[in-house]
Every structure is written in C-alpha cells, then in structure tokens.
Amino acid sequence: MAMARSSSGPAYPERFYAAAAYAGFDGSHNSTSTVSSKFQNDTALLLYALYQQATVGTCNVPKPSSWKAVEQSKWKSWQGLGNMVSSEAMRLFVKILEEDDPSWYSRASNSISEITESAVDTQVNHYSKDEPIIKNENSFPETKTISTENGTLVETQDKDVVSEDVGTVAVYDQWAAPSINGQPPKARYEHGAAIVQDKMYVYGGNHNGRYLNDLHVLDLRSWAWSKVNFKVENDSQEGQSPAKLTPCAGLSLIPWENKLLSVAGHTKDPSETIQVKVFHLQSCTWSTLKTYGKAPVSRGGQSVTLVGTSLVIFGGQDAKKSLLNDLHILDLETMTWDEIDAVYALVQFLRFEHLWSMINLSLLFYSGVPPSPRSDHTAAVHAERYVLIFGGGSHATCFNDLHVFDLQTMEWTRPTQQGEIPTPRAGHAGVIVGENWFIVGGGDNKSGVSETAVLNMSTLVWSVVTTVQGRVPLASEGLSLVLSSYNGEDVLVSFGGYNGRYSNEVNVLKPSHKSTLQSKITETPVPDIVSAVHNVTNPTRDVDSELVVGQEGKIREIVMDNVDQESRKSRGEGTSLIATLKAEREELDLSLGKEKLQTLHLKQELADAETRNTDLYKELQSVRGQLAAEQSRCFKLEVDVAELRQKLQTMETLQKELELLQRQKAASEQALDANHRQGSGGVWGWLAGTPGGQKRDDA
C-alpha cells in the first residue's frame, strides 16, 4: 500500500489529526453522522477503521449484536485492519482523504494551527515503544541546496547514490545520479514511463493528491528534459467544447509501434470502463482508442504487460476502492477485449471423468486459483507465454508472493521461490534484462524498501543486487523503472516516487553479468514423454514445481519432487489424454482463428459502412447547401412577385381613374357641343329678324 502523500504542511502525527478534524472525527457524538454526510458509506467506514486503528490500536472490543447493523459494519471494518501499526493507519487515513478530496488541506489550512500539542499528547500513549511518532527532522536524509537559473533545487544526498555522468560510470550494480539538463517535471509518483528510441517519456501521476496530465521527455543521449506540447483530438460532435486530456495517476504507459498507450488510471471523475489513450509521437496528438467487446471496469494501480500484439491487464483498484484480481486481454490487432476465466483449465480437466483417479483434486483447485485481489504490484512476461505477478498490496497488508499465468493453458500457478526472497512490498517497479527481472523500490506499510532485487525467471531464484541507505527516491513507492542502453550497455533508469516527499530525480544503474543469476540445472536423461505428461500424471506433484524441456532430451529442473511409481503406470492413459487435449486445443484454436477472421471481416464491414456513412453525410451536407441556396433564391423571387403585384394593383387603380376621367371628358365634350349648337341658332335667327322669344312662343 502507498504511504501518505504530502509535500508540505505539518508532519505526522499533526497532519493526521488535521485530516481527522477536517473529516469530522472530533470525538463528539455527532462525529459519525458528520463523516457519513461527507463521504460515501464505504469510504466513511474505512476512514473510521483507520482512525480507530491510529488512535486506539488493534480492535479488541466485542463484536456488536446483529441487530445493530451500523455498529457491526464499523466493527468489521476496524477488525479487518488486523495488527496494522498506528503510524501506517495515519498515513493511509490521509491518503484516502486526499484521493477523495484532493483540496482538503488548502481548505483546512486555516484551522490547522488550532491543533495543539495537547491533542497529540492525548493519543501518544497508543503508540508502542517500537513505534515512535515520526517527526519531521527524522523523516528525511540530509539535503543539499543547488542554485539553478529557475530557482532553488533541493536534492537528497545519500552515500549509496553516486552523482556522476553516466558515460563515466565504471561501477556496476550501483545506483548513480547523472547530471541532468533542462527543466525537470514536477515531482510525482504513480506516473507512467516508457522508452522509445533512446527517449524516456513520463506522463501523468499524482502530486499532493492532485492528478497530472503533462507529458515530458528525457533524452537519454544528452540527458536533457523537455516538455511535450501536445494536442488532443476532438472526438465530440461539431459545436461541442474542445476535447481535454483527463489528469490521471496509477496508469500504465506502454510503447507500441510509433505510439504510446496510456491504459486505465485513477481520475477525478472516473468512467465506467477502462479508457485507452493513444499518443501519436509524430503528430504529438492524443486520441482515444476505440475498442470492441466488454471492456474491464475502470481502475488504477493495475499491471499491464505487452505480450506480442496483446495487452494483459491484471488487478488494480476500482473507483469504489475495491481491490481486483481479474485478468483481461486486449488484442491490439482487432482492438477487442477478452476476459479470461481463471478456472478455464479446471473446467477442461473436469470434462474427463477418468482424470479424477490420477490428479490430486486439492492441488488442481490450488493451481487454478488466481492471486488475491491487489494493486500496485508488478508484472513481467517470460518466453512470450508466462505472465509473472509479484507483490502488491491490499488495504491492510503487502505481499511478496509470486504467481504465474500460462497464456497457453490459461492456468494460474504459484511456484516456489528460492534464494533471497524480497520482503513484502507494494508500489515497486520492475524491468526485464534478458531472463532477469529487476525489482526496485516499493513500500511495506512502514517505510520504503531499500534493496534492488533480481529474479532469474528460468530458475526462480532471487538475489539482491544492491541496497541503498536512508530515505532516498530509490526507496520510494510509485516510482518508474525503464530499460535503455548507453554506449552499448544496458542501463536501468528510475524516476520519481514518494517516500515522505515527492521526487523528480533520475537515477541509473548498470547491471553487471554477476547480477544475472545462472540457472541451477539438474540434468537427467529421461524419455521425452515424461516432460509431456508429468504435470498430469503425477498425483503428488507440488503445485510449486515446474518442468522445462531442455535440449538433447534432457530436463532442466526448476523445482521437482520425486516421481511416484504409480504415475509411471498411468503414462499410457496420460499420453492418450494429452493427445485428446491437443486435438481439442487445435479445434479451439481453429475456432478462435475463424472468430478472429470474422471479427476482422465485421470490423472491415463496419469501417466500410462508416466510410459510406461519411460520404452520405458529405453528400447530404452538399444537398443541404444547394437547398439553402434555392430557398434563398425562391425568397428573392417571392419578394419580386410581391413588388410586381403591388405595381399591378397600382396600374389597375390608375386605369380606373383614367377611364373615369375619359368618361368625364366625353360628357364635358357633349355638353360643350350642345351649348355651341344652341348658341349658334339664336344668332342667325336674330339676323333673320326672328327674335328668340317669338320663336319660342310660336313653338
């Protein structure tokens, strides 16, 4: 488990009491209701248990009656912590609070000064004599200050970490701090690191409870840091806000082709399933990988191992802080998720009833049991077939067990470890050099682990390469470890971590040939058939034993018990069973191949359909544009028609007025003609001697 994360503020236990007061553990009767109102039930129960473990100690109170459901849940949560030391409970309490509420310290800083020494003294009697309260002056090694152009850089000085140039390192199997140029990344832990073409990329991580999303690169030829300015592809629809890269920690960074894959990780607003982000090195662009099938639940602290063209994901901790031990495989060719059933091999064996007489049932069940749920472990692949899981931690303890998953038989085993077996740890890092698996750092619920261990994966024998003294970054949790080469030699490069303070230091180690273990081989000439059926026909086989077929008909023995005489008599049945299993395996492989081909075919059809859909969408957009243009033209025509109608109405009105005027003109002309005729007759009559009046009388 990870230790408490803090880079500033009061030391322990004052920081714990500040966190407890902020969370609502003030000792009053209403503290429980206050805590439950701030956090989810699972988080509140865990915080309660850690608070009790830190202030009271191991749970020795009687179990409450069943009708007191709340009290019984609190008791179970406290009881589950076992004998966890109070100092670790304090650190875990702060860690849980920081993960749930990263900004708690800034909001509570105003009231931290109110925590007096008397509050600490009331609880000091709960520490044992072997568990002194950690004071700030005892927490860290002596430091030195180096002036830089950008301010002051504080470096940890330790006699086991030599500061010198990598090219001049003549001592093997010893950590050295190279001279680094450029602005280093912010100190962090639980980040991801990967090597691509002599460059170490560092992404994400956690600093003081805040998740990061920056990307930095260290050139291992010039040993210079630089920050990568990247873009994020917008997968959203047009008109929505631009895409953002979600900060995360506890992720896995995997180099693949000319890309980097960021798998899973803790985020502030977690998704339901694992997200796989892709960083394209050429375009410096992040995008989201589109996958098919049932994706695993989102998580952090998992292990991700690249085996051929597949990613093998195991364990971790989900958003509800539940530990996991499931195993999933992502095929990078088909981008399809597969969940591996841990009892697959058991089901296959049980189909053959006659096998009960040859196999110890308890051993069979044991060999198919996966590791217990855990996070912050390490994983490695051997011979492109065996996935090894080492260490990790739960909420209350750390592990140093070794488990192996066979990708061909789909079976879990727990082999016997030999040599200087490492102590339990979590948050460590590992890297493979040939057949050797180097393990660095980690923590054991008390302090950082100082030794650098190596496992020969052929002999399963451990040895210690070197040990550092003091609280240096190499004895940290959440550090990263990668393998590179410098001047033709293998070089292990570590970065970051947390051991009471956050680190952004780089350390290197040149492994020597002496640090790589030689396989302890017991060569015995036996028939080839023994290697094929021994694991099936030997009823007394220890589940921790394994046979590896060597050259020239000999067997390289990792760990092997005496072969029972009765097992030799059943070789014939075993051979027949093996043939049957092989035939069925071939059928399954054939079916799997057909399914993959069908998946590829469906994927191609889907791509074609998406292409057609894109073309149709473009055509639709074009038609919509043409329609809009036609609609605009029609609108203009309607306006013109309206204007013409108005003019026509005006013309009709004018026409009517004209006709009226014409009628009036005609009437006027007729009146004028009549008057004219009348006037003309009177004059001639007067001239003729006929007065007008007389004429009217005659008439």
Side-chain angles (χ1 to χ4, degrees), residues 547-603:
L547 294 178
V548 181
V549 179
Q551 297 179 353
E552 300 177 357
K554 297 181 179 180
I555 293 180
R556 181 170 56 188
E557 182 180 41
I558 296 178
V559 182
M560 178 179 178
D561 294 337
N562 295 328
V563 180
D564 194 282
Q565 296 295 332
E566 296 180 0
S567 65
R568 299 180 180 177
K569 297 179 182 180
S570 58
R571 289 176 184 171
E573 296 183 29
T575 303
S576 175
L577 177 59
I578 291 294
T580 304
L581 292 175
K582 286 183 177 180
E584 185 171 352
R585 177 62 183 273
E586 292 176 357
E587 293 179 1
L588 292 175
D589 290 340
L590 182 60
S591 300
L592 180 60
K594 292 180 179 179
E595 290 295 332
K596 286 187 176 182
L597 288 176
Q598 185 177 2
T599 301
L600 290 173
H601 180 67
L602 292 175
K603 187 177 180 181

Side-chain angles (χ1 to χ4, degrees), residues 289-308:
L289 186 66
K290 185 176 182 180
T291 60
Y292 305 89
K294 183 180 179 181
V297 65
S298 62
R299 67 193 65 196
Q302 71 291 325
S303 63
V304 179
T305 310
L306 180 63
V307 184

Side-chain angles (χ1 to χ4, degrees), residues 51 113 157 360 371 496 566 655:
Y51 180 81
S113 59
Q157 180 66 31
N360 187 321
E566 296 180 0
Q655 182 67 28

Side-chain angles (χ1 to χ4, degrees), residues 358-647:
M358 294 187 295
I359 299 181
N360 187 321
L361 183 60
S362 62
L363 296 182
L364 178 61
F365 270 96
Y366 182 79
S367 64
V369 174
S372 59
R374 65 190 63 198
S375 65
D376 300 327
H377 52 279
T378 52
V381 60
H382 179 53
E384 293 296 314
R385 173 177 175 178
Y386 303 101
V387 177
L388 286 73
I389 305 293
F390 173 74
S394 65
H395 293 303
T397 186
C398 294
F399 308 108
N400 66 340
D401 49 354
L402 178 67
H403 297 262
V404 179
F405 183 75
D406 192 331
L407 291 171
Q408 291 188 8
T409 62
M410 298 295 177
E411 183 180 12
W412 283 103
T413 56
R414 183 177 175 181
T416 298
Q417 306 176 73
Q418 302 183 59
E420 302 175 79
I421 301 176
T423 56
R425 66 193 64 194
H428 48 287
V431 72
I432 296 176
V433 182
E435 290 189 342
N436 301 281
W437 190 14
F438 285 80
I439 302 294
V440 178
D444 58 359
N445 281 341
K446 296 179 182 178
S447 61
V449 180
S450 59
E451 71 265 19
T452 298
V454 58
L455 172 70
N456 187 296
M457 292 186 290
S458 294
T459 61
L460 299 185
V461 177
W462 288 96
S463 65
V464 175
V465 178
T466 184
T467 302
V468 295
Q469 300 295 330
R471 184 167 289 187
V472 296
L474 291 167
S476 298
E477 299 182 21
L479 77 167
S480 61
L481 185 68
V482 296
L483 174 65
S484 183
S485 61
Y486 193 86
N487 293 335
E489 294 183 298
D490 292 328
V491 176
L492 275 62
V493 184
S494 72
F495 171 77
Y498 179 87
N499 61 358
R501 64 173 58 178
Y502 297 92
S503 170
N504 61 352
E505 296 185 15
V506 176
N507 291 280
V508 299
L509 180 143
K510 288 184 178 181
S512 67
H513 296 290
K514 294 181 180 180
S515 65
T516 58
L517 300 177
Q518 299 295 327
S519 301
K520 297 182 179 180
I521 302 176
T522 304
E523 297 184 348
T524 307
V526 294
D528 292 342
I529 190 64
V530 175
S531 61
V533 301
H534 174 74
N535 290 333
V536 178
T537 59
N538 183 8
T540 60
R541 179 179 71 91
D542 188 349
V543 294
D544 297 334
S545 65
E546 179 181 358
L547 294 178
V548 181
V549 179
Q551 297 179 353
E552 300 177 357
K554 297 181 179 180
I555 293 180
R556 181 170 56 188
E557 182 180 41
I558 296 178
V559 182
M560 178 179 178
D561 294 337
N562 295 328
V563 180
D564 194 282
Q565 296 295 332
E566 296 180 0
S567 65
R568 299 180 180 177
K569 297 179 182 180
S570 58
R571 289 176 184 171
E573 296 183 29
T575 303
S576 175
L577 177 59
I578 291 294
T580 304
L581 292 175
K582 286 183 177 180
E584 185 171 352
R585 177 62 183 273
E586 292 176 357
E587 293 179 1
L588 292 175
D589 290 340
L590 182 60
S591 300
L592 180 60
K594 292 180 179 179
E595 290 295 332
K596 286 187 176 182
L597 288 176
Q598 185 177 2
T599 301
L600 290 173
H601 180 67
L602 292 175
K603 187 177 180 181
Q604 183 62 38
E605 290 183 352
L606 179 60
D608 295 340
E610 290 179 349
T611 302
R612 291 194 299 269
N613 185 33
T614 303
D615 295 338
L616 291 174
Y617 179 76
K618 292 180 179 179
E619 185 177 355
L620 178 60
Q621 292 294 99
S622 177
V623 172
R624 285 178 177 174
Q626 296 176 4
L627 180 60
E630 292 295 329
Q631 288 177 345
S632 177
R633 192 168 65 88
C634 289
F635 177 75
K636 292 180 179 179
L637 291 175
E638 289 178 355
V639 173
D640 294 340
V641 169
E643 292 178 352
L644 291 175
R645 285 179 178 174
Q646 187 176 3
K647 291 180 180 180

Side-chain angles (χ1 to χ4, degrees), residues 222-234:
S222 61
W223 295 96
W225 280 109
S226 61
K227 185 176 181 179
V228 180
N229 296 320
F230 54 80
K231 298 177 294 183
V232 182
E233 290 185 359
N234 195 344

Side-chain angles (χ1 to χ4, degrees), residues 660-675:
L660 178 61
L661 292 174
Q662 288 177 349
R663 288 194 298 269
Q664 290 177 355
K665 180 181 179 182
S668 298
E669 290 177 350
Q670 290 177 1
L672 289 174
D673 290 341
N675 292 332

